[in-house]
C-alpha cells in the first residue's frame, strides 16, 4: 500500500508540474511550416529559378539535406513529450493557440515575399542589377526572408517559458551566417559590376545591421 501511495503521489506531482514540451498543436504547425518551406523551395528550384551553370557540389547538397533533417529533429525534440503523451491520452491537439496566428502570418508574409523575389530574379536579363521591390533597400532580400521564415518557426515551436525554440535558433544562426557571407560577397560584386554608388544605399541582408 505504501508503494502504491508513493506511486500515486509521484503521478500527482508530475501532473501538477509545469509542462516542459511544446504544445502538440504548435508542433503540428511547426512541422507544417517546414513542409511548406521545403515544398515551395523545391518547386522554385524546378520551375522558377534559372538553372545555374555552376553545378552544386555534393558536400553542399548533403549539407542541405542534413540541415532540413536537423530542423525537423529540432522541432521533434522539444515537442516529443506532447507527441508521446498524445499516444496514450488520445486528447485532440489544439492548433490555434496565442502564438500561432502571429507566427503563421509572419511565416506566410516572408514566404510570399521570398517567392516574389525569386520570380523577379528569374525574370531579369543577364547581368542586370535588381532594383524593384525589396531590392531597392536590400541587396539580397530573399536571404532576409529566409531568416524571417525560420524565426517564425522558432517562435511557434518554442517550449514553455521560452520565446524561441533554441534548437531552431541554432539553425537560424547557421542560415544567417552562410547567407550573410554570400550577401556581402554579392554586394561587393554588384559594386564592381554596376558601380559602388548604385548599391551604396542598400543593406546587404539585414536592415540597419549590414
Amino acid at each position: 500500500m505504501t508503494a502504491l501511495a508513493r506511486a500515486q503521489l509521484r503521478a500527482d506531482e508530475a501532473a501538477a508540474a509545469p509542462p516542459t514540451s511544446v504544445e502538440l498543436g504548435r508542433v503540428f504547425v511547426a512541422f507544417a511550416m517546414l513542409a511548406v518551406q521545403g515544398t515551395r523551395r523545391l518547386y522554385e528550384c524546378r520551375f522558377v529559378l534559372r538553372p545555374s551553370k555552376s553545378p552544386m557540389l555534393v558536400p553542399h547538397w548533403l549539407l542541405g539535406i542534413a540541415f532540413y533533417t536537423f530542423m525537423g529533429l529540432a522541432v521533434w525534440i522539444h515537442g516529443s513529450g506532447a507527441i508521446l503523451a498524445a499516444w496514450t491520452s488520445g486528447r485532440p491537439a489544439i492548433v490555434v493557440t496565442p502564438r500561432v496566428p502571429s507566427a503563421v502570418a509572419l511565416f506566410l508574409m516572408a514566404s510570399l515575399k521570398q517567392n516574389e523575389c525569386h520570380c523577379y530574379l528569374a525574370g531579369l536579363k543577364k547581368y542586370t542589377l535588381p532594383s524593384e521591390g525589396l531590392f531597392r533597400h536590400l541587396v539580397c532580400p530573399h536571404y532576409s526572408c529566409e531568416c524571417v521564415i525560420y524565426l517564425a518557426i522558432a517562435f511557434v515551436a518554442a517550449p514553455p517559458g521560452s520565446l524561441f525554440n533554441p534548437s531552431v535558433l541554432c539553425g537560424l544562426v547557421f542560415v544567417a551566417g552562410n547567407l550573410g557571407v554570400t550577401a556581402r560577397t554579392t554586394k561587393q560584386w554588384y559594386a564592381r559590376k554596376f558601380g559602388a554608388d548604385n548599391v551604396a544605399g542598400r543593406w546587404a541582408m539585414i536592415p540597419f545591421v549590414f
Side-chain angles (χ1 to χ4, degrees), residues 36-48 68:
V36 169
Q37 168 68 358
T39 303
R40 181 181 61 82
R41 294 295 291 118
L42 177 61
Y43 169 81
E44 290 174 348
C45 289
R46 292 293 303 274
F47 302 108
V48 176
Y68 279 108

Side-chain angles (χ1 to χ4, degrees), residues 111-163:
S111 298
L112 290 173
K113 283 297 181 181
Q114 188 180 54
N115 177 259
E116 182 181 291
C117 291
H118 288 159
C119 291
Y120 172 66
L121 289 174
L124 284 176
K125 294 181 179 180
K126 192 175 182 180
Y127 299 135
T128 302
L129 178 66
S131 57
E132 295 184 9
L134 294 177
F135 287 97
R136 292 195 299 264
H137 311 289
L138 296 164
V139 172
C140 297
H142 46 310
Y143 293 169
S144 310
C145 294
E146 185 87 1
C147 294
V148 174
I149 286 169
Y150 289 113
L151 185 67
I153 296 174
F155 179 68
V156 79
S162 300
L163 184 60

Side-chain angles (χ1 to χ4, degrees):
M1 293 295 293
T2 303
L4 182 61
R6 288 177 179 175
Q8 183 62 46
L9 179 61
R10 286 195 296 268
D12 293 341
E13 290 175 348
T20 58
S21 176
V22 182
E23 298 165 353
L24 185 61
R26 290 196 286 116
V27 174
F28 288 160
V29 172
F31 274 128
M33 287 179 171
L34 288 173
V36 169
Q37 168 68 358
T39 303
R40 181 181 61 82
R41 294 295 291 118
L42 177 61
Y43 169 81
E44 290 174 348
C45 289
R46 292 293 303 274
F47 302 108
V48 176
L49 300 177
R50 294 177 180 176
S52 175
K53 294 182 179 179
S54 302
M56 179 181 290
L57 298 177
V58 173
H60 292 168
W61 182 81
L62 293 175
L63 184 62
I65 297 297
F67 171 77
Y68 279 108
T69 302
F70 168 80
M71 295 301 278
L73 288 174
V75 173
W76 181 85
I77 287 171
H78 290 279
S80 58
I83 295 172
L84 294 174
W87 290 351
T88 56
S89 67
R91 289 179 296 181
I94 301 175
V95 175
V96 181
T97 57
R99 282 178 181 258
V100 171
S102 55
V104 170
L106 185 64
F107 174 83
L108 291 177
M109 180 191 69
S111 298
L112 290 173
K113 283 297 181 181
Q114 188 180 54
N115 177 259
E116 182 181 291
C117 291
H118 288 159
C119 291
Y120 172 66
L121 289 174
L124 284 176
K125 294 181 179 180
K126 192 175 182 180
Y127 299 135
T128 302
L129 178 66
S131 57
E132 295 184 9
L134 294 177
F135 287 97
R136 292 195 299 264
H137 311 289
L138 296 164
V139 172
C140 297
H142 46 310
Y143 293 169
S144 310
C145 294
E146 185 87 1
C147 294
V148 174
I149 286 169
Y150 289 113
L151 185 67
I153 296 174
F155 179 68
V156 79
S162 300
L163 184 60
F164 297 104
N165 183 307
S167 300
V168 177
L169 274 186
C170 290
L172 172 59
V173 170
F174 173 80
V175 168
N178 280 275
L179 296 183
V181 171
T182 305
R184 186 180 296 276
T185 303
T186 301
K187 184 174 182 178
Q188 293 170 350
W189 186 86
Y190 281 167
R192 293 194 300 269
K193 184 69 179 180
F194 304 107
D197 293 341
N198 290 320
V199 294
R202 305 187 195 187
W203 301 100
M205 189 177 81
I206 304 177
F208 309 109
V209 178
F210 83 97

